[in-house]
Amino acid sequence: MEYKIIEKEAFKVVGIVREFNGDTSYAQIPKFWQSHFESGNGQFINGMFGICYGHDSNSNLFNYMIADCDEGKGELPDRFTTMEIPAKTWAVFPIKGALPDALQDTNTKIWSEWLPNCREYELDGNMNIEMYSCGDMDSADYYSEIWLPVKKI
């Protein structure tokens, strides 16, 4: 799989969080995005990031945040949460294709193929980040990324 390793300083995000079950998340997270925009929350949070964190392997539950960088957001309604993304080394996987299929296909390959077979890096945290660019998310040329926190083995 194509990927690059980058170092990122810590940064703050703000967004709205919901808990998901890993078994149904591929169907439920796109519905969360849809309801986010239908409810008017898109006027506050555009959704530059989708952040998965806090996965509990016993229950298969995790939190998912639709988020933007915190800078310049000012006062937001109480339903939004702020979180700091720590400084980390990230494996960044580029994705080209319409959402959600291209992103979900890449995510499945990362967890089922890349990570189990990677001999240079291992996970360094209980988080992964989806980064979304501007553009037509239904386009075959749409660009997004998945970031995984890693450390050298």
Side-chain angles (χ1 to χ4, degrees), residues 134-153:
C134 294
D136 179 4
M137 293 181 171
D138 294 323
S139 168
D141 292 329
Y142 181 73
Y143 182 80
S144 56
E145 297 174 343
I146 293 177
W147 305 354
L148 276 185
V150 294
K151 62 183 174 184
K152 277 233 181 244
I153 295 178

Side-chain angles (χ1 to χ4, degrees), residues 7-11 84-90 124 149:
E7 303 286 329
K8 277 197 83 57
E9 294 297 320
F11 62 101
E84 181 161 328
I85 306 298
K88 290 277 184 188
T89 300
W90 299 87
D124 185 25

